[in-house]
């Protein structure tokens, strides 16, 4: 299905009538005069067989570097290990030592916190969260909100190193790409998440970049415009660059292998936090 037709179908409520809870499309178009390629997936959160999966917290062994919260695992390896149908990279992180990282901002897996809320001058970072009532929301979650969060991954808000406030990518249907982080005006590989107005559909997008002849990357305002076109009401920029990853095993045989983006490093980078969708048998 072509992108425009798919978008119109989604806005008309096609997910409710579709037998598959996940729909994946390839993005291949010219944006701001440059070739842009990647993938987008809509997930119907109303489907009882859909399960959101976030990287689980685990005890750090003796000798792990200070401040380590997670092990670094490539997204394709994590997707295979967890048996998810779809996976992307998620939260920002800082490497603390070989194989370990400190997660930036809130991350929660099945109600278990992996990393706490991060704030700057009292303002929490924007996060994608899944509540216990089966809905997805994108907002600035405070520590008091943790009791209602089933799973969560985070973007990044304000910082002493940037004048940008670190807004949502899209807020109530408004394109805020120029004030989102990081490096909004630069073309980079990007990973982002969006939700429908009722919180019942999740949009995941991965755009390749830094690869002349394949994909130039995308700015945050252009990414927000694309996600608005795809029907997102709110959206969040996640970790991008060499971390950007999209793995889909939908309708793929073992011989075919998964459908994937083309990471700018030439291979999938080990990252700290992943977001996946499992289809229960």
């Amino acid at each position: 299905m072509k992108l425009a037709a798919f978008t119109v179908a989604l806005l008309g409520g096609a997910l409710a009538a579709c037998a598959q809870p996940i729909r994946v499309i390839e993005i291949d178009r010219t944006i701001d005069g440059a070739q842009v390629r990647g993938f987008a997936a809509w997930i119907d959160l109303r489907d009882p067989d859909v399960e959101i999966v976030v990287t689980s917290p685990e005890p750090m062994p003796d000798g792990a570097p200070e401040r380590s919260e997670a092990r670094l695992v490539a997204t394709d390896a994590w997707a295979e290990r967890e048996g998810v149908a779809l996976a992307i990279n998620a939260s920002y992180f800082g490497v603390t030592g070989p194989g370990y990282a400190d997660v930036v901002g809130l991350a929660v897996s099945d109600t278990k916190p992996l990393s706490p809320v991060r704030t700057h001058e009292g303002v929490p970072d924007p996060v994608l969260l899944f509540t216990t009532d089966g809905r997805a929301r994108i907002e600035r979650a405070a520590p008091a909100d943790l009791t209602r969060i089933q799973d969560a991954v985070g973007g990044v808000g304000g910082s002493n190193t940037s004048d940008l406030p670190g807004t949502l990518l899209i807020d109530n249907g408004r394109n805020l790409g120029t004030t989102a982080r990081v490096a909004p005006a630069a073309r980079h590989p990007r990973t982002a998440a969006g939700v429908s107005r009722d919180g019942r559909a999740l949009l995941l997008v991965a755009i390749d970049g830094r690869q002349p002849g394949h994909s130039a990357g995308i700015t945050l305002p252009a990414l927000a415009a694309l996600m608005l076109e795809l029907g997102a009401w709110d959206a969040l920029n996640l970790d991008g660059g060499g971390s950007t990853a999209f793995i889909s095993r939908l309708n793929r045989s073992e011989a075919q292998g998964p459908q994937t983006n083309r990471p700018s490093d030439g291979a999938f980078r080990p990252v700290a936090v992943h977001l996946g969708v499992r289809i229960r048998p």
Side-chain angles (χ1 to χ4, degrees):
M1 185 181 292
K2 291 184 178 180
L3 179 60
F6 183 78
T7 303
V8 172
L10 277 174
L11 295 176
L15 274 176
C18 180
Q20 294 182 335
I22 305 176
R23 298 294 299 274
V24 173
I25 59 169
E26 289 191 50
I27 296 169
D28 184 353
R29 56 165 65 187
T30 300
I31 297 177
D32 296 333
Q35 188 69 39
V36 172
R37 289 189 171 94
F39 289 92
W42 272 104
I43 299 95
D44 187 353
L45 299 177
R46 296 167 297 186
D47 192 302
D49 293 333
V50 165
E51 179 185 1
I52 298 297
V53 184
V54 173
T55 305
S56 299
E58 58 178 303
M60 292 294 99
D62 293 339
E66 188 179 354
R67 303 190 323 277
S68 296
E69 294 178 312
R71 296 178 185 269
L72 295 171
V73 179
T75 305
D76 56 341
W78 180 85
E80 182 174 1
R81 184 184 75 190
E82 296 295 329
V84 295
L86 184 72
I88 62 168
N89 66 297
S91 303
Y92 289 82
F93 62 95
V95 176
T96 56
Y100 294 93
D102 174 34
V103 180
V104 177
L106 182 65
V108 179
S109 176
D110 195 20
T111 72
K112 301 176 183 66
L114 170 61
S115 177
V117 171
R118 173 188 173 274
T119 64
H120 176 66
E121 297 182 349
V123 180
D125 286 348
V127 298
L128 164 67
L129 58 88
F130 301 88
T131 54
T132 51
D133 64 358
R135 295 177 186 267
R137 299 177 63 175
I138 294 175
E139 60 184 52
R140 294 184 183 273
D145 299 319
L146 290 177
T147 56
R148 62 187 175 91
I149 295 176
Q150 183 76 23
D151 296 282
V153 296
V156 63
S159 168
N160 292 329
T161 62
S162 173
D163 294 332
L164 293 168
T167 61
L168 274 63
L169 194 59
I170 302 170
D171 188 5
N172 291 325
R174 296 178 298 130
N175 185 331
L176 298 184
T178 58
T179 53
R181 293 186 68 202
V182 175
R187 288 183 178 274
H188 288 301
R190 304 282 189 179
T191 303
V195 298
S196 60
R197 191 168 189 172
D198 65 359
R200 294 299 193 183
L202 171 68
L203 172 65
L204 302 178
V205 174
I207 299 295
D208 287 333
R210 303 174 183 168
Q211 299 175 72
H214 171 63
S215 184
I218 194 168
T219 66
L220 292 186
L223 179 58
L226 174 63
M227 297 182 75
L228 280 166
E229 179 185 331
L230 290 170
W233 182 249
D234 294 305
L236 172 70
N237 183 51
L238 297 168
D239 188 20
S243 296
T244 287
F246 185 98
I247 317 290
S248 172
R249 300 179 184 278
L250 298 168
N251 304 316
R252 306 284 289 185
S253 68
E254 186 173 343
Q256 287 177 306
Q259 186 178 35
T260 73
N261 72 310
R262 285 173 52 173
S264 62
D265 289 352
F268 289 103
R269 175 183 291 177
V271 299
V273 184
H274 317 79
L275 174 64
V277 183
R278 184 181 290 134
I279 305 300
R280 298 185 182 96

